[in-house]
Amino acid sequence: MLADGFSRYSNKIGCLITTYGVGELSALNGIAGAFSENVKVLHIVGVARSVHSRSQDYNNQNLHHLVPRLHDSNFVGPNHKVYLEMIKDRVACSVTYLEDINTACDEVDKVIMDIYRYSKPGYVFVPVDFSDMLVDPSNLFKRPEITLENCVSYAPSPVVDELVRMVLQYIYESKCPSIIGDVLCDRFGASSMVNNLIQLTSMWNFATVMGKSIIDESNVMYMGLYNGNESIETVTERFLQSDLVLHFGIQVHEINNGHYTINYKEDAKVIEFHSEYIRFFDASTGNEKVFKGVNFVQVLERLIQTINVNKLNFEYPSNIEKFATDEVNLPTEPTEITKVTQNYLQKSVPHYLNPGDVLVCETGSFQFAIRDFVLPSQLKYITQGFFLSIGMALPAAFGVGIAMQDYPRCHISKDHPSHVEIPDDYEPRLILIEGDGAAQMTIQELTSMVRFQVPIEIMILNNNGYTIERAIRGPTRSYNDVMSWDWTKLLEAFGDFKKQRTVSAKIETRSKLAMKLKQLKNKGKLNLIELVEIKLDTMDFPKQLQSMVDAAAFTRKCSLE
């Protein structure tokens, strides 16, 4: 998960190395999450000696870390490739088990190129004796660098030209078009291009759950996050006025599509831009044309170069303005209340964020509130929005912190089409919003943060366990409870014995939280790990989570009828 976070921030390949079996299987959950969410991860697995250096006796021996065969294991040797067979074509886009040192370099290069091409994890199984062997260095000259740009498959220019011509015709005929920025824009390095197109055309634009923060939400035509029936009502009203939807980097699944409740204006035209196809769809007739083997980045780049803004003839309703967070209509609370609530967090946390910061959020209740934040310009938001493995965010944040050290400010572009200028000397803050239940699953990575001195602000939302699971099912079930911890003492126990590199605080009132958030927002140079435990009621969760729960329950009901 650390490698996952490293890649999500840098858009480069995160790498992990394990031994076969015990380490490999322990990492499988993280690899599956990366595969599900198109994250570039290379898993290098150390395995037993190569076939050329094994004796027959060795082949028949049941080795530690290697599972024996189901039948006759005392007589028949183990399958040395059993783990490869488990993951090949399932949670990896490319796999190689090195057996010939003479072809090893080409095989490794192919896996790396495939990871970039498909933006999914790949595996290299390396025999232990290969580490002491020499290889031909010619690959260093043939392919001195492998990057995303030189791995993506490009369609022939005539095909791209025809697709761009078709897209432009749709745009020029549209009166109320909209752009959706989705997750594959980030994975294939197209986020800046999408924002350039928005600035160039002044089209309405929407975020998705998986694509949150890809679009610069400070732009005046940002209309909110659309997620079908789970959307804010005013966002849905805007979206359903769109006669043309340009969906860039589309990823279709129940979370990103509001449990498949995405809807369009009755006569809308929809163009889906994917890394493997471009799809034209007519909502009124159901007719479609799909062009496979085309990466949308190539089409988007040409589109920006050729669009004639003088031919645009948009007629957006004059009474509709940019999305604002007060459209969420949070429940009213008594003025005298002093305790921290989810409502209060929804109102205060957006003001705590600065342009250019990096926000990581755990799978949990507050993740649903962030959907309807209007995020500052060039803030990078990272969360596991589809695979939803509780406990993922804490180690991922550590990986993000390492990537921010290796590639400082790589998410901030001077060419970014934003009216908000981020000073050259601003050091982006890394912020983690974490639940107490989720943190207990992967808490050991705190000691790694202390060890490697990764500056981070950690907000522990302590609501006595798994409130997101209570909201979905089992509000009083004991399996949603966790043991109470003194969170403010963890960093000391995990290595900062003299409290020189960390600061911890427990907050139970709004006034103290407001003071702490203000202090963190304006603190200047980053050199500490700050952990803030925020106490919340057990069954306090955002209204957006309730919308998801209702939508999921409705979907289940319909499937049973």
Side-chain angles (χ1 to χ4, degrees):
M1 292 177 180
L2 187 156
D4 181 294
F6 183 96
S7 178
R8 286 178 192 253
Y9 174 76
S10 66
N11 205 27
K12 300 182 185 298
I13 294 178
C15 182
L16 72 152
I17 303 173
T18 68
T19 190
Y20 63 105
V22 287
E24 181 186 354
L25 295 180
S26 294
L28 188 57
N29 176 55
I31 295 296
F35 184 89
S36 299
E37 303 205 355
N38 296 88
V39 182
K40 304 171 187 69
V41 174
L42 171 62
H43 189 172
I44 298 174
V45 183
V47 297
R49 294 202 303 268
S50 62
V51 291
H52 302 298
S53 67
R54 296 178 195 162
S55 65
Q56 185 59 39
D57 289 341
Y58 187 80
N59 283 332
N60 288 328
Q61 292 171 359
N62 287 313
L63 306 181
H64 73 296
H65 301 341
L66 193 60
V67 295
R69 293 185 184 273
L70 176 61
H71 301 292
D72 297 326
S73 63
N74 286 347
F75 305 100
V76 182
N79 176 5
H80 282 257
K81 295 184 179 180
V82 62
Y83 302 124
L84 178 147
E85 294 169 1
M86 289 171 58
I87 55 93
K88 188 177 186 297
D89 299 326
R90 292 175 173 84
V91 295
C93 68
S94 188
V95 175
T96 187
Y97 195 109
L98 302 182
E99 294 181 304
D100 185 346
I101 196 66
N102 295 312
T103 61
C105 292
D106 285 333
E107 293 178 57
V108 171
D109 282 359
K110 180 183 182 303
V111 172
I112 294 173
M113 289 187 288
D114 284 345
I115 292 172
Y116 274 123
R117 180 182 179 186
Y118 299 107
S119 196
K120 288 182 182 291
Y123 276 71
V124 176
F125 293 83
V126 184
V128 64
D129 52 315
F130 272 29
S131 63
D132 296 321
M133 296 183 187
L134 297 177
V135 295
D136 186 336
S138 60
N139 281 38
L140 297 176
F141 300 97
K142 287 190 299 184
R143 286 185 287 270
E145 186 178 20
I146 300 175
T147 66
L148 173 63
E149 291 72 24
N150 60 34
C151 292
V152 172
S153 297
Y154 292 103
S157 289
V159 174
V160 176
D161 290 339
E162 176 61 17
L163 287 170
V164 170
R165 185 196 65 77
M166 294 171 64
V167 173
L168 286 174
Q169 181 178 348
Y170 277 74
I171 293 174
Y172 295 150
E173 293 175 354
S174 173
K175 299 297 182 184
C176 190
S178 291
I179 288 173
I180 300 179
D182 213 335
V183 61
L184 296 185
C185 293
D186 175 77
R187 305 298 192 257
F188 287 91
S191 298
S192 289
M193 281 190 278
V194 171
N195 283 290
N196 283 329
L197 183 62
I198 290 170
Q199 184 188 50
L200 191 64
T201 61
S202 296
M203 286 191 205
W204 277 6
N205 49 91
F206 297 82
T208 66
V209 171
M210 294 289 291
K212 183 69 175 173
S213 85
I214 284 172
I215 285 176
D216 189 329
E217 298 175 8
S218 67
N219 82 80
V220 297
M221 302 300 279
Y222 177 64
M223 296 295 150
L225 185 146
Y226 181 62
N227 194 37
N229 292 348
E230 297 172 35
S231 310
I232 299 300
E233 184 177 351
T234 53
V235 175
T236 300
E237 290 172 356
R238 291 179 176 96
F239 187 80
L240 292 180
Q241 295 188 53
S242 306
D243 60 7
L244 172 64
V245 176
L246 307 175
H247 196 147
F248 291 100
I250 183 171
Q251 191 74 309
V252 179
H253 51 68
E254 65 173 354
I255 302 299
N256 215 32
N257 289 64
H259 289 84
Y260 291 95
T261 58
I262 292 288
N263 201 3
Y264 301 102
K265 189 171 184 277
E266 189 175 289
D267 61 346
K269 306 292 191 298
V270 182
I271 308 177
E272 298 176 352
F273 297 82
H274 189 266
S275 56
E276 297 178 358
Y277 67 86
I278 309 294
R279 175 178 181 250
F280 294 80
F281 173 72
D282 189 321
S284 62
T285 64
N287 294 334
E288 68 173 16
K289 290 183 179 179
V290 181
F291 298 83
K292 294 186 177 181
V294 183
N295 189 301
F296 76 97
V297 177
Q298 192 179 8
V299 177
L300 175 57
E301 187 174 30
R302 192 79 59 86
L303 179 64
I304 293 172
Q305 293 169 352
T306 56
I307 192 168
N308 184 347
V309 294
N310 294 320
K311 291 186 177 182
L312 304 181
N313 192 26
F314 305 156
E315 296 177 1
Y316 290 115
S318 58
N319 62 326
I320 295 181
E321 299 180 348
K322 168 183 165 62
F323 175 76
T325 52
D326 57 11
E327 295 177 38
V328 179
N329 291 325
L330 296 174
T332 303
E333 294 181 315
T335 56
E336 67 275 10
I337 191 171
T338 61
K339 67 181 179 181
V340 180
T341 62
Q342 288 277 357
N343 283 353
Y344 181 78
L345 289 174
Q346 283 202 60
K347 293 176 181 178
S348 57
V349 170
H351 301 291
Y352 151 68
L353 305 172
N354 289 327
D357 285 342
V358 180
L359 174 64
V360 182
C361 185
E362 181 59 76
T363 294
S365 55
F366 196 68
Q367 186 185 46
F368 292 83
I370 294 177
R371 294 180 177 188
D372 297 311
F373 284 11
V374 177
L375 297 174
S377 180
Q378 297 204 68
L379 179 140
K380 177 88 170 179
Y381 176 55
I382 295 172
T383 192
Q384 195 177 69
F386 172 49
F387 195 67
L388 296 170
S389 178
I390 294 176
M392 178 269 186
L394 198 153
F398 177 39
V400 172
I402 296 297
M404 291 173 70
Q405 293 176 349
D406 290 350
Y407 303 98
R409 292 170 56 101
C410 77
H411 68 292
I412 299 173
S413 171
K414 289 189 176 182
D415 299 326
H416 191 83
S418 170
H419 63 277
V420 179
E421 184 175 346
I422 301 173
D424 291 339
D425 61 351
Y426 180 69
E427 295 184 26
R429 296 180 298 152
L430 172 57
I431 300 162
L432 169 63
I433 298 181
E434 180 79 16
D436 61 321
Q440 290 195 16
M441 290 189 171
T442 48
I443 197 66
Q444 70 274 12
E445 291 301 344
L446 275 184
T447 196
S448 299
M449 293 181 185
V450 174
R451 177 186 177 191
F452 292 99
Q453 300 184 46
V454 173
I456 185 171
E457 298 166 17
I458 305 172
M459 305 290 161
I460 299 289
L461 305 185
N462 184 351
N463 47 23
N464 305 311
Y466 302 107
T467 291
I468 185 170
E469 302 296 345
R470 300 185 202 275
I472 296 171
R473 188 169 293 181
T476 61
R477 295 291 186 179
S478 60
Y479 51 69
N480 286 324
D481 299 333
V482 297
M483 191 69 179
S484 295
W485 284 6
D486 188 339
W487 294 92
T488 60
K489 294 180 180 178
L490 281 181
L491 293 170
E492 180 183 358
F494 282 172
D496 188 22
F497 307 129
K498 297 180 180 180
K499 300 183 180 180
Q500 295 176 331
R501 291 179 282 179
T502 65
V503 175
S504 297
K506 181 176 182 177
I507 290 178
E508 299 188 49
T509 65
R510 297 184 177 197
S511 59
K512 288 186 176 180
L513 179 59
M515 290 175 58
K516 187 63 178 179
L517 295 183
K518 182 178 180 181
Q519 175 251 317
L520 292 172
K521 179 181 176 70
N522 302 305
K523 69 180 179 182
K525 187 172 178 59
L526 313 176
N527 55 13
L528 295 172
I529 298 174
E530 300 224 18
L531 186 150
V532 181
E533 177 191 357
I534 302 171
K535 199 72 181 73
L536 297 168
D537 285 348
T538 300
M539 287 303 295
D540 183 14
F541 54 83
K543 62 174 290 185
Q544 295 93 330
L545 174 55
Q546 187 62 55
S547 297
M548 187 280 289
V549 172
D550 293 343
F554 180 76
T555 301
R556 286 195 299 270
K557 178 182 177 183
C558 291
S559 66
L560 294 173
E561 291 178 350

